[in-house]
Amino acid sequence: MKIKSIKIKAKKSEYPIQLFDSNSNRIYYENSDGYWRKREYDPNDNEIYFEDSNGFWYKKKYDSNGNDIYYENSKGYWYKNGFDSNGNLVYHETSDGIIEDKRPVKEMTIEEISKLLGYEVKIIKG
């Protein structure tokens, strides 16, 4: 459910204004000072978007297991995560240049690599 715009006229006594989706997730909040924030959720109730009246926003993406795999915000910061089949974090990279890589390394012979690629591989010295 995407919220494009909301126009609400309320009296001071009617604040804060809060709207919820069918899964009871708060998707909109506004106080009497005019500050507001809105959120969007995917079908699995994972928060995928946030925005506020100060101009700050962020987006998130999740894999099919609900793991948080991507985040980016209006200040230019981002991160990427990778998970193994057991849901363990094995890769993390940020826009700050931080990379944490715990993915397993598979050792292979030249013959195994050639078979995998479907053509001959030779080692050359450079």
Side-chain angles (χ1 to χ4, degrees):
M1 174 182 165
K2 289 201 172 205
I3 304 169
K4 293 193 177 184
S5 66
I6 297 175
K7 290 186 179 183
I8 297 174
K9 292 182 180 180
K11 298 175 185 174
K12 288 267 187 193
S13 62
E14 296 174 324
Y15 286 95
I17 297 168
Q18 300 184 80
L19 301 176
F20 297 85
D21 67 13
S22 59
N23 293 329
S24 300
N25 296 309
R26 184 166 59 182
I27 57 173
Y28 186 80
Y29 168 88
E30 184 175 336
N31 68 24
S32 61
D33 295 329
Y35 173 79
W36 57 264
R37 61 183 174 246
K38 65 181 179 178
R39 300 173 192 272
E40 293 177 18
Y41 297 84
D42 69 14
N44 297 316
D45 287 336
N46 296 309
E47 183 183 49
I48 57 172
Y49 186 76
F50 171 89
E51 180 180 0
D52 70 17
S53 57
N54 295 325
F56 180 75
W57 58 262
Y58 62 79
K59 299 181 207 180
K60 288 183 167 186
K61 291 183 183 177
Y62 300 84
D63 66 15
S64 59
N65 295 318
N67 295 310
D68 177 7
I69 59 170
Y70 184 75
Y71 169 93
E72 84 177 273
N73 69 33
S74 56
K75 295 181 179 185
Y77 177 77
W78 57 263
Y79 67 75
K80 297 177 186 179
N81 290 327
F83 296 84
D84 66 15
S85 58
N86 295 320
N88 299 311
L89 180 66
V90 294
Y91 184 81
H92 178 73
E93 179 180 357
T94 74
S95 56
D96 297 329
I98 296 169
I99 298 176
E100 297 172 10
D101 194 346
K102 300 175 190 171
R103 295 175 290 189
V105 175
K106 183 172 182 170
E107 294 182 357
M108 299 177 78
T109 66
I110 294 299
E111 291 79 19
E112 289 171 327
I113 295 170
S114 293
K115 186 175 181 182
L116 183 67
L117 295 173
Y119 52 84
E120 187 177 348
V121 175
K122 294 183 181 180
I123 296 176
I124 58 171
K125 295 183 181 181

